[in-house]
Amino acid sequence: MSCALVLGSAKPKSFAAHKSIGIIMHQRASHLQNALFNNVLGLAPGTLGADILESGKAQLEQLYPHVEQIEKEKVKSIVKASEGFTITTNKNTYHSKLVVIAAGYTNLVHIDGLQHYLQPHPRAAVEKERMWLKNEDHLVAEGLYVAGTMAGWRSQFAIAAGSGAQVATDILTLWNDGKHTKVHDKA
Ligand SMILES: Cc1cc2nc3c(=O)[nH]c(=O)nc-3n(C[C@H](O)[C@H](O)[C@H](O)COP(=O)(O)OP(=O)(O)OC[C@H]3O[C@@H](n4cnc5c(N)ncnc54)[C@H](O)[C@@H]3O)c2cc1C
């Protein structure tokens, strides 16, 4: 959601204005479901992860409605196509030039097409059997990004959300012909 928010906020920029952006908003397995936050800058102490799941969706919908939110679908496979990727869910098939995967670091994630990149997590307790998608600077393969704990980061909310924002600015930079890009609103 952090990645989608930053991508959505770039709409006024000419290089992003006509891009189609979508997010498969499967939330049931999120570690936010039962998390409680006291140690995150900018979040009021006592904030519930379950509330962030709802408020994040609403923020994306209200501010950046051009980002399509796809609900009640689970990704089954991500396969390289002639241009971009074919993403198959339990209900539909989508095509996208770029894909960002942020499916968390549990060993319960089963998405065909990713097995080749899946490895034991480099920054988690071995006995927990966490996994990551091997990547360099969030890039798994051309056009295929990973964000959050699945990118190999430790499980802290600010790190996972920051990782998503980082990937968004990498994609905006790509769309902007390699010129380093960020999106700032001013008071
Ligand atoms: C009990 C608990 C307490 C915590 N407390 C703190 C704390 O105090 N401070 C702190 O900083 N951090 C805390 N955390 C950690 C924080 O919640 C995580 O670091 C953060 O949620 C990781 O984000 P993520 O995007 O990597 O993974 P997640 O939030 O787990 O998101 C992964 C998403 O991928 C989706 N998904 C999985 N498979 C598929 C599929 N096949 N198709 C589509 N979608 C899929 C899931 O449904 C989920 O929405 C806590 C975590 C837990 C569990």
Side-chain angles (χ1 to χ4, degrees):
M1 282 201 285
S2 168
C3 184
L5 281 164
V6 176
L7 286 177
S9 71
K11 176 91 168 163
K13 300 192 184 274
S14 58
F15 60 80
H18 303 292
K19 301 292 187 188
S20 298
I21 308 166
I23 175 169
I24 294 178
M25 197 62 97
H26 179 282
Q27 297 191 323
R28 205 174 311 148
S30 173
H31 277 192
L32 291 178
Q33 289 288 2
N34 56 354
L36 165 70
F37 295 106
N38 293 311
N39 61 2
V40 180
L41 183 67
L43 291 187
T47 297
L48 297 178
D51 290 340
I52 296 172
L53 288 172
E54 286 307 316
S55 62
K57 271 201 292 197
Q59 184 180 354
L60 192 59
E61 168 61 28
Q62 281 157 20
L63 294 178
Y64 312 120
H66 61 288
V67 177
E68 188 182 351
Q69 296 191 33
I70 301 162
E71 302 257 15
K72 299 192 171 77
E73 294 188 32
K74 189 169 182 180
V75 177
K76 295 286 184 193
S77 70
I78 300 173
V79 176
K80 184 93 187 89
S82 52
E83 202 186 1
F85 298 87
T86 301
I87 301 118
T88 306
T89 72
N90 52 333
K91 294 185 182 161
N92 285 302
T93 299
Y94 304 92
H95 298 281
S96 184
K97 283 189 185 162
L98 304 177
V99 170
V100 181
I101 306 158
Y105 69 167
T106 74
N107 58 5
L108 303 173
V109 176
H110 297 293
I111 300 176
D112 286 344
L114 300 183
Q115 296 91 334
H116 179 63
Y117 308 110
L118 212 52
Q119 295 188 354
H121 199 283
R123 296 189 186 91
V126 175
E127 63 275 16
K128 298 241 171 162
E129 299 183 355
R130 304 301 192 188
M131 305 300 286
W132 76 317
L133 291 186
K134 191 171 187 313
N135 68 89
E136 266 184 43
D137 267 349
H138 295 108
L139 196 62
V140 177
E142 192 185 353
L144 186 65
Y145 297 82
V146 61
T149 49
M150 202 187 208
W153 301 118
R154 293 197 183 91
S155 180
Q156 295 290 157
F157 178 84
I159 299 176
S163 162
Q166 172 70 32
V167 171
T169 58
D170 287 346
I171 290 173
L172 295 176
T173 297
L174 183 74
W175 288 349
N176 194 18
D177 291 330
K179 290 184 210 116
H180 290 292
T181 302
K182 54 193 163 32
V183 187
H184 287 182
D185 296 319
K186 290 194 187 102

